[in-house]
Amino acid sequence: VNLLICLPWLLIRKRMNRCTRGRSKVPLWIRETLAYTRVLQRSLYYNSLTDSDVVFDSIFEPVFWMVDYITRRFGTVFVCLVVVLISSIVVIAYIVLLPLVLYTYSPLWIAWHLCFGNWIIVMIAFHYYKAAKTSPGFLQKEKCDRPFVSVCKKCILPKPARTHHCGICNRCILKMDHHCPWLNNCVGHFNHRYFFSFCLFMTLGCAYCSISGRDLFLNAYNALERFRHSDMEQPGIPVTGMGPLIGLLPTDFQTAAPPYTLKERMIHKSIIYMWVLTSTAGLALGALTIWHALLISRGETSIERHVNKKENTRLAKRGRIYVNPFSYGRLDNWKVFLGVEKRSHWVTRVLLPSGHPPRGDGLTWDIFSVHHDVIPV
């Protein structure tokens, strides 16, 4: 009986030894490559949950990796580019536009431009610095008793609600919205307000420069056109006397001094550069700001927008309606996002630079304090 029981195991072990001896002749790196290829092949039809999105992500994984690598390496370059562009506009505003304002506008308009322009510059610089330097909120690797909704497949850590993994930062971000290459930082729970405020005030600043500098742009453009045509006409004055007869001069005309200077040309080109840059940047940032404003009104982030859309479609097929558990109403969503707890905070925390932290720690979410707010709607 013991022989009958042990015989199958002996046969299986003998077969495994034969396979091991046969595989030992193949180099290890070839066996590992073949095993990895088989795993990739099986991942395309692993189970019934596999869909077109999984297949697409598997095929384009090298492309995604390359984009993440480039974004990670060139993040500092993007930040320097933003600083240079903003600084160039500020320099043109102070060196070129400010003297024109002081000589042409009334005292009331001068006071308006000085106050509004300097306020916009301070708000843009403050919020950009805070958005780039403030940590978005990382998931701690130590074990804790916090509630979680899933496990990160890359960090192998439990993820709380609204937490997502960033492939560029290679960490889980609390309430992640997206990774911004222009900040070289993720936009998460602790710097989301700084990012949105920077986009908002940057849009206002671009619109201010574009609208107030429209007439200056048209005048500078027309002036450059006149300069270009005057260069083509070869201006000069006729030469008289014995010079042409004795061959001392090569032509019949002596070139006169140009009607414009290099300084005037640079001033006009600076005005055109400022208007074109602020107009194009204002349109792009304006669209981005409106999109994020809609997300904030709904109590969502950019990632949660896609997740909630899929969840809404899935529940709609079952005849049910999906309700976002993190939406407290439009006004309350803005109050939570901006950190407004009383009426004066709309000025001190929204219209003035403020480094106050957001509500909560990004790990747990409580809505009762918002619904019981004493501020009337």
Side-chain angles (χ1 to χ4, degrees), residues 168-181:
I168 300 175
C169 298
N170 199 23
R171 297 187 67 175
C172 285
I173 308 299
L174 301 178
K175 192 194 170 188
M176 178 180 175
D177 187 89
H178 69 287
H179 185 94
C180 182

Side-chain angles (χ1 to χ4, degrees), residues 94-154:
Y94 276 99
I95 296 179
V96 177
L97 299 184
L98 185 58
L100 296 177
V101 171
L102 295 177
Y103 283 108
T104 57
Y105 288 175
S106 62
L108 185 62
W109 275 109
I110 293 175
W112 154 254
H113 284 290
L114 289 177
C115 294
F116 185 80
N118 287 285
W119 173 70
I120 284 290
I121 293 174
V122 170
M123 297 298 287
I124 290 174
F126 173 80
H127 287 102
Y128 183 77
Y129 176 81
K130 297 292 288 186
K133 290 298 183 179
T134 303
S135 172
F138 299 112
L139 183 62
Q140 300 297 328
K141 297 183 179 181
E142 293 80 8
K143 294 183 179 180
C144 60
D145 297 332
R146 298 285 187 181
F148 62 94
V149 296
S150 62
V151 176
C152 180
K153 298 178 182 179
K154 297 184 179 181

Side-chain angles (χ1 to χ4, degrees), residues 335-352:
K335 286 156 60 176
V336 171
F337 178 79
L338 298 174
V340 174
E341 299 176 357
K342 53 184 180 180
R343 292 182 184 275
S344 61
H345 287 170
W346 290 105
V347 177
T348 59
R349 293 188 173 185
V350 179
L351 298 181
L352 295 177

